[in-house]
Amino acid sequence: MIMRIFQVRVRDGKEEEFTEFFYKTAIPMMKGTEVIVQVLPGAPHGDSPRDFSFVMVWKDLVSLKAFVGEDYNSPHIDPAEAELVESRLIKHYDLVE
């Protein structure tokens, strides 16, 4: 299994808009993806009000590539979030069970 950690920093002043997108679009989309074994969404915590994240456990690399494309190291970006996000970071790991 592949663990994918996806972090975003929202543009200053766009926190409310991104929060709505995160809860109403991003979380349901990720939780509705059949080849994702587990989704752990993370909302901002006190000292980092513009930082959001997802930890996702994917069935395998083939499944991940089928969802995001061959360049799986590039973040999969919904057009609704493009103008709201200042920066993105993505990392992949082999899940240790």
Side-chain angles (χ1 to χ4, degrees):
M1 286 189 269
I2 302 294
M3 182 171 60
R4 178 178 172 99
I5 300 176
F6 181 64
Q7 298 172 303
V8 298
R9 171 158 287 173
V10 177
R11 292 185 191 279
D12 194 27
K14 298 292 185 177
E15 298 88 350
E16 190 174 313
E17 285 178 72
F18 188 84
T19 297
E20 183 175 340
F21 166 80
F22 188 67
Y23 283 97
K24 292 184 177 179
T25 303
I27 293 173
M29 178 176 61
M30 294 293 94
K31 287 189 172 187
T33 303
E34 291 182 20
V35 291
I36 296 179
V37 176
Q38 188 172 17
V39 176
L40 300 168
H45 179 72
D47 61 341
S48 56
R50 297 189 299 142
D51 295 341
F52 292 77
S53 68
F54 273 109
V55 175
M56 297 164 275
V57 177
W58 290 77
K59 181 179 156 188
D60 53 33
L61 187 56
V62 171
S63 301
L64 175 59
K65 286 181 176 181
F67 185 78
V68 301
E70 283 298 314
D71 185 10
Y72 66 93
N73 287 307
S74 293
H76 180 260
I77 300 165
D78 187 291
E81 74 177 290
E83 296 299 317
L84 305 176
V85 175
E86 177 179 298
S87 63
R88 297 166 182 86
L89 177 67
I90 195 154
K91 297 279 186 175
H92 298 94
Y93 302 89
D94 289 325
L95 185 66
V96 177
E97 296 186 64

